[in-house]
Amino acid sequence: MKISACILTGLSCAALCALGDPIVIGVQVPGSDHASAPCTPTERTDDYHKDHFSADISGSQGKSFDVVLFGDSITDFWNSNPNLSLDNNPTDTKTFNMGIGSDRVQNLLWRLRNGALDGYTTKYFTLMVGINNGHQKCIDHNEHADRAEDVAESIRLMLCEMATKHPDAKILLMPILSYSFDSKHFEAAEVTAMSEAVNDYILRFVDNKRVFWVDLRSRYLQQNSMPDKVCYREGGHGGYDAVGLCLHPEFFTYSDFWKPALTNAMRKYLSVPAGQAHVADPSLGYAKAAPNADGAGSATITVFGINLGTDANANAVTSYAIDYELDGGAKTRALSNQTGVSKSFVIPNVALGDHTCKVTVTTADNKELVTLLDFTMTE
């Protein structure tokens, strides 16, 4: 038996190893290699990058910002949206975007170590980066994606740079958005596996003191956990996105998804100094379904991006339970006393046909996180 929708790509060892204890940003990601390309700061020499970087440096000097955004084109493209400001003021100078299109993690790491953090102050940073270590390599250059451990380690090094040069600033860390390319591009599965593994790693950097988690992935997904093409610039819009590619967000999602999520996070954590414990809400990313390896008509459900947050006293919540309701049936306990940022469980005896699954993650302090999933079992 197989599931005809929402097939889970095979996770690398990196993703499986990423389900353990938190990693403080002062500790190297297990298995990462500082001699790897992602961990080697690399300057880009193309004119677009040089001009953009120069403008960022000159435009930020001597100023004080509420938030500085770092990333690749997914962040950079927000500048094409008139609603960049996080306080609904079109002339706002308190938001500064330092996303640069086509950056890989090694390029952004180079920027952070060569002036991008100097000469200004800010209350917050945002950081979303890493997709080009898969997409550019696999789709554009027919190479394998970089190892998730190394991409995550590079992101950790970026967080260290931010924390060192701006000790009073807080960092809103964002996972790589969901990605897809039509099945004719078989490399898309490798890009997805890399980005999901990276996301599992970097969620472990979140301490709810200096580094916080803002997860927008579910906003870009349909109920079957596949990317919602309405939310992506699929098939044109300036020549960046091919037909069948879900990579760059549509402009409306910056104002509808990004702005409220970032604004709410900034307001929530503003009053407590960086380095002190914050009360952070738990969250989860999404769920996927895959056929069970025994071929006995069972489905394996994997829940991604489980972020437990903190309790009312700002103490870390350390465990959770998972329940599921298949096709509106009774709630069934799948797992108890779990830890880690991703978790899988098996639903036995799943009949042929369409199914809806409600998955509930209940934290140790009794907060419930719910995600829905549609999938189809076929011969």
Side-chain angles (χ1 to χ4, degrees), residues 131-184:
I131 189 62
N132 286 323
N133 291 78
H135 172 76
Q136 279 185 354
K137 293 195 71 177
C138 291
I139 305 300
D140 295 343
H141 300 291
N142 198 29
E143 301 172 355
H144 285 295
D146 287 317
R147 296 194 318 146
E149 300 97 325
D150 298 327
V151 176
E153 173 64 8
S154 186
I155 293 173
R156 186 190 70 84
L157 295 174
M158 297 178 204
L159 297 175
C160 290
E161 293 291 329
M162 293 175 179
T164 299
K165 292 192 174 183
H166 293 265
D168 294 328
K170 304 177 183 73
I171 304 166
L172 304 179
L173 181 60
M174 306 171 72
I176 301 170
L177 292 180
S178 300
Y179 169 94
S180 74
F181 213 155
D182 285 348
S183 57
K184 63 182 178 180

Side-chain angles (χ1 to χ4, degrees), residues 161-305:
E161 293 291 329
M162 293 175 179
T164 299
K165 292 192 174 183
H166 293 265
D168 294 328
K170 304 177 183 73
I171 304 166
L172 304 179
L173 181 60
M174 306 171 72
I176 301 170
L177 292 180
S178 300
Y179 169 94
S180 74
F181 213 155
D182 285 348
S183 57
K184 63 182 178 180
H185 297 276
F186 68 90
E187 302 94 336
E190 185 174 336
V191 179
T192 298
M194 183 215 74
S195 60
E196 288 176 344
V198 169
N199 289 338
D200 278 351
Y201 269 119
I202 66 174
L203 178 50
R204 296 168 65 193
F205 302 150
V206 174
D207 60 7
N208 297 318
K209 295 180 180 179
R210 182 179 302 281
V211 182
F212 301 88
W213 190 244
V214 178
D215 193 340
L216 300 177
R217 286 176 292 178
S218 64
R219 302 298 304 270
Y220 288 87
L221 296 173
Q222 303 175 72
Q223 191 165 304
N224 64 4
S225 292
M226 297 299 290
D228 186 349
K229 292 187 176 183
V230 172
C231 297
Y232 289 89
R233 304 172 70 200
E234 186 257 356
H237 299 283
Y240 291 102
D241 297 288
V243 174
L245 174 62
C246 290
L247 173 62
H248 293 113
E250 278 281 11
F251 291 150
F252 79 86
T253 69
Y254 292 102
S255 55
D256 290 3
F257 301 166
W258 290 52
K259 181 186 289 188
L262 293 175
T263 300
N264 290 340
M266 291 167 62
R267 288 173 178 165
K268 184 176 181 63
Y269 307 129
L270 183 62
S271 61
V272 182
Q276 295 186 18
H278 298 252
V279 177
D281 293 330
S283 63
L284 56 78
Y286 62 100
K288 280 189 176 182
N292 197 23
D294 63 14
S298 54
T300 297
I301 308 297
T302 302
V303 186
F304 295 88

